[in-house]
Amino acid sequence: MASTEPGKKPRQRADARRNRDKLIEVAADAFSQRGADASLEDIARRAGVGIGTLYRHFPTREHLVEVVYRRELERLAEAAVDLSADRPPDQALEEWMHRFVSYMATKRGMASSLKLLMTSNACLFTDGAALLRTAFGDLLARAISAGSIRGDIETVDVLTALSSIYSIPDMPDWRERAHRLIGLLMDGLRHQPVVKTG
């Protein structure tokens, strides 16, 4: 008996971690695809657990939203590093901006809960904005240094343009429109301004 008991607890902890990770993954997809209509019961079912398991990990919808939001921010920041290692600077920048659309889709799906979190956890948003600004700033700096985009721009300006995607009406084609806008934005970034002399 004594030899089996110690082995059970680590397995339970590992199962709990897997369940939690699966719930976060499924929730991110549900919020992105279904928005405010995503139900916790459906998220639990798709993750292969009971609703009681979901509530043990995430006592409220806002708690789940906060964890998903942090995960999406962290994934975007990590993507900046990965893309920088694998692609030319301007291509890394463009691909990151396309991934930003997926982040915005998830964020839009959590909008009502995020509004509640703004009043109780302002640091979540200030820290998140700083994380994205740093990650994107590094990508932008590499592309400018490589000469593949124009050098007379600021990180905050491009991020402001990207954030305007959030204002696109929530219609079935909004993602297609967002990706087209990124294409236009990249065309503008690649266009080198004419320097007048004399």
Side-chain angles (χ1 to χ4, degrees):
M1 292 291 291
S3 62
T4 59
E5 286 302 316
K8 288 184 179 179
K9 289 183 180 180
R11 280 198 298 272
Q12 289 172 348
R13 287 196 294 269
D15 288 345
R17 284 195 298 273
R18 282 195 296 271
N19 287 340
R20 186 177 187 276
D21 291 345
K22 184 65 174 178
L23 283 164
I24 295 169
E25 177 185 344
V26 169
D29 180 65
F31 292 138
S32 174
Q33 300 298 327
R34 297 178 178 81
D37 294 331
S39 73
L40 298 186
E41 289 78 7
D42 183 57
I43 289 170
R45 180 185 59 77
R46 290 173 58 202
V49 301
I51 189 64
T53 298
L54 184 149
Y55 280 122
R56 276 196 296 277
H57 289 288
F58 310 104
T60 67
R61 186 183 186 91
E62 283 66 41
H63 188 186
L64 176 60
V65 163
E66 179 178 348
V67 173
V68 170
Y69 182 64
R70 286 184 187 277
R71 171 186 178 264
E72 293 300 295
L73 288 169
E74 290 167 358
R75 288 182 69 178
L76 260 184
E78 291 167 2
V81 176
D82 295 340
L83 290 168
S84 291
D86 295 338
R87 306 193 183 196
D90 60 326
Q91 292 179 22
L93 183 69
E94 184 171 13
E95 175 59 26
W96 191 91
M97 288 197 285
H98 283 297
R99 295 189 188 191
F100 186 85
V101 174
S102 296
Y103 158 74
M104 293 299 281
T106 305
K107 186 177 178 180
R108 287 175 75 141
M110 303 185 296
S112 58
S113 293
L114 287 174
K115 286 179 182 177
L116 292 175
L117 285 170
M118 280 183 185
T119 61
S120 62
N121 190 0
C123 288
L124 174 66
F125 301 95
T126 54
D127 292 348
L131 183 65
L132 289 189
R133 193 163 52 248
T134 299
F136 184 73
D138 290 344
L139 285 170
L140 198 65
R142 287 184 71 248
I144 291 172
S145 178
S148 51
I149 66 168
R150 55 195 299 169
D152 60 339
I153 51 176
E154 300 289 338
T155 299
V156 67
D157 296 330
V158 187
L159 282 176
T160 298
L162 274 178
S163 296
S164 69
I165 290 171
Y166 199 81
S167 66
I168 297 175
D170 194 7
M171 304 292 285
D173 68 339
W174 84 265
R175 291 193 203 214
E176 293 176 19
R177 294 178 63 188
H179 289 298
R180 286 200 301 271
L181 286 173
I182 286 172
L184 290 172
L185 181 56
M186 282 303 303
D187 286 344
L189 291 174
R190 288 189 173 108
H191 175 70
Q192 299 293 339
V194 176
V195 178
K196 295 182 179 180
T197 59

